[in-house]
Amino acid sequence: MSSSDIFLGETIGTAVLILLGGGVCAAVTLKSSKARGAGWLAITFGWGFAVMTAVYMTASLSDAHLNPAVTVGIAIKDGAWGDVPVYFAGQILGAMIGAALVWVAYYGQFQAHLTDPETIGEKPIEGPGPVLGIFSTGPEVRNTWQNLATEIIGTVVLVLAVLTQGLNDSGKGLGTLGALITAFVVVSIGLSLGGPTGYAINPARDLGPRIVHALLPLPNKGGSDWGYAWIPVAGPLIGGALAAGIYTIAFA
């Protein structure tokens, strides 16, 4: 794969991932959406299908990492770091594009939601904003070590599942079936481990949209919670490295 293919594939794939994943969050959150109040099951399955769609779409270009934690895990496993910066750049850019497209697709709903007096009173404007959860994750209980540990644990499960794909088939890869399995793993993580922090398990998925939230001209949007932002970046990167270590010890 060339660097241009990797960058293009990761940009497109991560944009689609965030468009569909952030889109289901917007659909469930915004008051004028037809899916308003659909709940956590809708969000977890929406993100799972988003992963499946994005991976199927771009695997031929870049192997569809779509997640810096996956890129780090694979780089440690294979000892190949040369393309890591290209992967990271495409992932962050794609996540920002996807988040901006969610805003475009739900523009009227954002305006209606954020100018509703009841919404304005939901959270203080100086704190995390009332629609920040559409863009990025946040903890239900703020406890730094627990929040970090939750992100690490969830990412270990994800990246170890990615690294071990195909081991039950005489070492052969699973091809396109791997996208479906990864999607189900993401749904499982969301259902089982997503409650405490919203399961970022992907630094680009959280950081790129958080930047977009900070930049967009959303009325009464509140803060972007930068004090928490390091946790969904550091936690998944640590989790990806740990998963690679477990793979090396147990499976290699």
Side-chain angles (χ1 to χ4, degrees):
M1 293 178 292
S2 68
S3 294
S4 60
D5 283 344
I6 291 171
F7 181 76
L8 189 60
E10 293 298 293
T11 300
I12 294 172
T14 313
V16 170
L17 170 66
I18 301 304
L19 171 61
L20 298 180
V24 73
C25 292
V28 170
T29 301
L30 298 174
K31 291 183 177 180
S32 297
S33 166
K34 293 181 182 295
R36 163 78 169 174
W40 192 246
L41 279 175
I43 289 174
T44 55
F45 276 93
W47 275 102
F49 292 144
V51 169
M52 181 182 68
T53 304
V55 171
Y56 272 125
M57 190 178 295
T58 59
S60 63
L61 280 175
S62 65
D63 283 342
H65 294 188
L66 313 182
N67 181 342
V70 172
T71 300
V72 165
I74 292 173
I76 292 173
K77 168 181 169 285
D78 295 339
W81 292 87
D83 291 322
V84 168
V86 181
Y87 274 100
F88 282 6
Q91 290 156 1
I92 293 293
L93 176 61
M96 294 179 68
I97 292 171
L101 291 175
V102 171
W103 171 65
V104 172
Y106 281 89
Y107 177 82
Q109 283 72 29
F110 274 111
Q111 296 300 113
H113 190 90
L114 289 172
T115 55
D116 187 315
E118 293 185 6
T119 301
I120 296 172
E122 284 180 2
K123 294 184 179 180
I125 297 303
E126 66 273 11
V131 296
L132 180 59
I134 294 172
F135 294 89
S136 295
T137 61
E140 288 300 300
V141 175
R142 287 182 181 265
N143 182 310
T144 299
W145 75 263
Q146 182 209 335
N147 301 153
L148 184 63
T150 300
E151 288 295 327
I152 291 171
I153 293 167
T155 310
V156 167
V157 174
L158 171 65
V159 176
L160 194 57
V162 170
L163 295 180
T164 55
Q165 281 186 17
L167 291 184
N168 292 325
D169 187 24
S170 302
K172 298 176 182 177
L174 294 177
T176 55
L177 181 59
L180 182 60
I181 292 174
T182 302
F184 284 139
V185 170
V186 171
V187 172
S188 178
I189 293 169
L191 292 174
S192 301
L193 300 172
T197 62
Y199 75 118
I201 58 173
N202 182 339
R205 169 265 177 276
D206 195 273
L207 180 59
R210 195 182 299 269
I211 293 170
V212 170
H213 176 271
L215 296 175
L216 282 177
L218 295 165
N220 306 310
K221 68 180 179 180
S224 300
D225 200 10
W226 289 108
Y228 177 78
W230 70 274
I231 290 177
V233 172
L237 290 175
I238 295 169
L242 286 175
I246 294 169
Y247 177 89
T248 300
I249 294 170
F251 298 98

